[in-house]
Amino acid sequence: MAKSWVNSAERIGADLHLELSGSGGRRAALIDALRAAVRSGRLAPGTRLPPYRSLAADLGVARNTVADAYAELVAEGWLTARQGSGTRVAERARPLRAQPVRHAVKGPVTAPPRARAPRHDLRQGTPDASAFPRAAWLASYRRALQQAPDEVFGPGDPAGRVELREALTEYLARVRGVRTAPDRIVICSGFAHGLRLLFGQGGGGPLRGPLAVESYGLGFHRELLRTAGVRTVPLPVDEHGARVEELTKERAVLLTPAHQFPTGGPLHAERRTAVIDWARAQGGVVLEDDYDGEFRYDRKPVGALQGLDPERVILLGSVSKSLSPALRLGWMVLPERYVEGVLTAKGEREAWASVLDQLSLADLIVSGSYDRHVRRMRQRYRSRRDRLVAALAARAPHIEVTGVAAGLHAVLRLPPGTERSALKAATWQGVALDGLAAFRHPEAETAATADQDGLVVGYATPSEAAFGAALEALCEVLPPDGSAECLPPDERSHSPART
């Protein structure tokens, strides 16, 4: 192919020289030429590129060839496309300086360019670390330390400190509708620890597999269960939660009834009663992951499933979302028949959760500081949720946002086939987030949601000061409307039909 000069001074302010060469086709050659121009600095950040029709005419190629090349470079993060602004060189696509690497024989070589470390963390799973109630926690810790009996500094009870179990009994009954007693609660270091105690390593816990799980969930939990020798059987998920009517001969099922993770939405009322009926008929048990039940915004509170039948439901909770995962404090609310087996699996002494932290959390709850903190964070996270929804409505109205009535994350439904390119663009733009496909059970069959693309956006992690910039960066990496072709926004209305 010959060298080509593109004279589009009225649009970009200067001539654009591109050399199309190679045997991979014109689309590949154009992508390589534009990428090289950006990488070398010849196309500076913020430079507006010609409309794809003009560039196609100057180069003598099809308009779809230019449109596809622009779309690929937008997905990779080299370019950005926005309604009314055209296609521009991304602000972060600055030339990368090669770093010399010492080699034992051949001398200095050039290190390949790498994607930047994330500047904006929009991954799900963690609260705003800057909002930890340090003053309230310190006050509770001091009171707990001053009032602690001498026995606290000896070997710990594997069930956990009775002060915390009593505080949790009252709190969970008041806030989540849980029916229990202190001797039915076992303190653990979090949800994953609770699973290990229930199933043990190689079947050492009181429960056995197979275990039915929702077709969307944390792969870390599935891997933990697999390591323990437990086979997980996926249940399809739709807008009403897990389809529990498809439970068969399993003896246990793991659910997120208050707010399905990660797709969002509570388990429908009819399904809540149906899964209890199933557990009674099968002699089985329901594991209830109550991971963010306190954070509800646009709906009436959904009580814990455990309240329907305390002898058929094991509730697992923690302070990982409400306070911090660094505290390593969680709890299991158990049917009577499982208490002894869990304590046996845990051992004769408390080996996981700090006794002083347990006493501090008990004081935080009893003093009312925990309630005040949760209410304050509920307001903050609701405000962030509203800002996210408003930003998407203004910048990407074609993107459907779901799962926002509660919790600390939202799901952005993407056009089919765009999830991977959006994640790739996010990486290059310094935005850390998760794709919906990463949470899908590997054995899940194609169902109502199984073939949909999406992004799981956690809006709790950034600090207040950083959240605005994180939202701006997120909007930059979303696929434009009509992104099956990913046409530049200023040209979308004139898109020709594909042949």
Side-chain angles (χ1 to χ4, degrees), residues 2 29 36 63 71 96 113 130 176 206 211 222 243 269 302 315 323 333 339 347 355-356 358 367 380 398 408 461 474:
R63 288 182 293 178
L96 297 174
S130 68
R176 304 293 297 123
L211 172 69
R222 293 193 296 266
R243 293 168 55 181
V302 178
L315 181 136
L323 288 173
V333 181
V339 174
V355 172
L356 291 177
Q358 292 182 50
S367 68
R380 176 177 297 187
H398 58 290
L408 306 182
T461 302
L474 172 65

Side-chain angles (χ1 to χ4, degrees), residues 28-319:
L30 179 56
I31 290 173
D32 290 343
L34 286 170
R35 191 188 289 122
V38 174
R39 184 186 289 120
S40 66
R42 289 197 300 111
L43 284 178
T47 300
R48 185 171 183 173
L49 298 185
Y52 74 93
R53 291 177 297 176
S54 301
L55 184 59
D58 289 338
L59 293 177
V61 299
R63 288 182 293 178
N64 280 345
T65 298
V66 180
D68 287 345
Y70 279 10
E72 177 67 20
L73 294 173
V74 167
E76 292 181 2
W78 295 101
L79 307 179
T80 62
R82 188 186 305 177
Q83 184 69 39
S85 182
T87 303
R88 296 178 180 270
V89 178
E91 290 295 333
R92 295 189 182 88
R94 300 192 180 277
L96 297 174
R97 295 183 178 178
Q99 298 295 325
V101 178
R102 296 294 179 184
H103 193 279
V105 178
K106 298 181 180 180
V109 298
T110 301
R114 295 186 300 171
R116 294 172 177 82
R119 296 181 56 199
H120 308 287
D121 192 351
L122 292 174
R123 289 169 291 193
Q124 61 74 37
T126 57
D128 181 356
S130 68
F132 184 82
R134 302 186 186 206
W137 182 262
L138 181 59
S140 289
Y141 193 91
R142 284 174 171 169
R143 282 193 296 268
L145 188 61
Q146 291 169 351
Q147 299 170 9
D150 292 343
E151 66 183 53
V152 164
F153 302 98
D157 184 343
R161 287 298 305 182
V162 66
E163 295 90 341
L164 179 55
R165 290 185 282 120
E166 289 175 345
L168 286 170
T169 299
E170 183 277 332
Y171 174 79
L172 294 173
R174 172 169 52 86
V175 175
R176 304 293 297 123
V178 170
R179 296 188 289 153
T180 190
D183 60 0
R184 301 284 192 92
I185 296 178
V186 174
I187 304 301
C188 56
S189 66
F191 180 81
H193 185 209
L195 281 185
R196 289 187 176 98
L197 293 175
L198 288 169
F199 289 94
Q201 185 69 35
L207 297 185
R208 301 288 185 272
L211 172 69
V213 299
E214 294 162 331
S215 58
Y216 282 84
L218 280 175
F220 166 68
H221 293 159
R222 293 193 296 266
E223 179 61 21
L224 183 155
L225 291 163
R226 187 195 65 79
T227 303
V230 178
R231 185 172 72 90
T232 56
V233 180
L235 279 178
V237 171
D238 59 24
E239 67 273 18
H240 299 303
R243 293 168 55 181
V244 298
E245 68 274 12
E246 298 194 18
L247 286 166
T248 55
K249 297 181 180 180
E250 297 85 11
R251 299 296 297 275
V253 58
L254 172 60
L255 300 174
T256 52
H259 185 225
Q260 201 288 320
F261 180 85
T263 62
L267 187 65
H268 192 276
E270 292 182 0
R271 295 184 182 181
R272 289 165 66 89
T273 57
V275 75
I276 295 297
D277 291 341
W278 166 85
R280 290 170 177 169
Q282 290 288 108
V285 64
V286 180
L287 277 63
E288 179 175 13
D289 182 0
D290 199 36
Y291 69 101
D292 65 358
E294 296 100 337
F295 296 107
R296 56 191 183 275
Y297 311 121
D298 299 332
R299 68 173 190 228
K300 294 180 180 179
V302 178
L305 188 65
Q306 190 268 359
L308 296 180
D309 193 335
E311 294 303 320
R312 293 296 172 189
V313 180
I314 298 174
L315 181 136
L316 298 99
S318 77
V319 297

Side-chain angles (χ1 to χ4, degrees), residues 292-374:
D292 65 358
E294 296 100 337
F295 296 107
R296 56 191 183 275
Y297 311 121
D298 299 332
R299 68 173 190 228
K300 294 180 180 179
V302 178
L305 188 65
Q306 190 268 359
L308 296 180
D309 193 335
E311 294 303 320
R312 293 296 172 189
V313 180
I314 298 174
L315 181 136
L316 298 99
S318 77
V319 297
S320 293
K321 302 295 187 294
S322 58
L323 288 173
S324 169
L327 286 178
R328 310 309 303 148
L329 282 176
W331 51 85
M332 291 181 284
V333 181
L334 298 162
E336 183 178 12
R337 66 186 184 278
Y338 293 125
V339 174
E340 190 61 34
V342 168
L343 292 178
T344 299
K346 194 173 185 185
E348 296 182 359
R349 299 181 179 183
E350 173 58 69
W352 299 90
S354 163
V355 172
L356 291 177
D357 284 346
Q358 292 182 50
L359 292 175
S360 300
L361 179 58
D363 183 272
L364 199 74
I365 294 172
V366 172
S367 68
S369 296
Y370 185 73
D371 284 85
R372 289 189 290 273
H373 172 72
V374 169

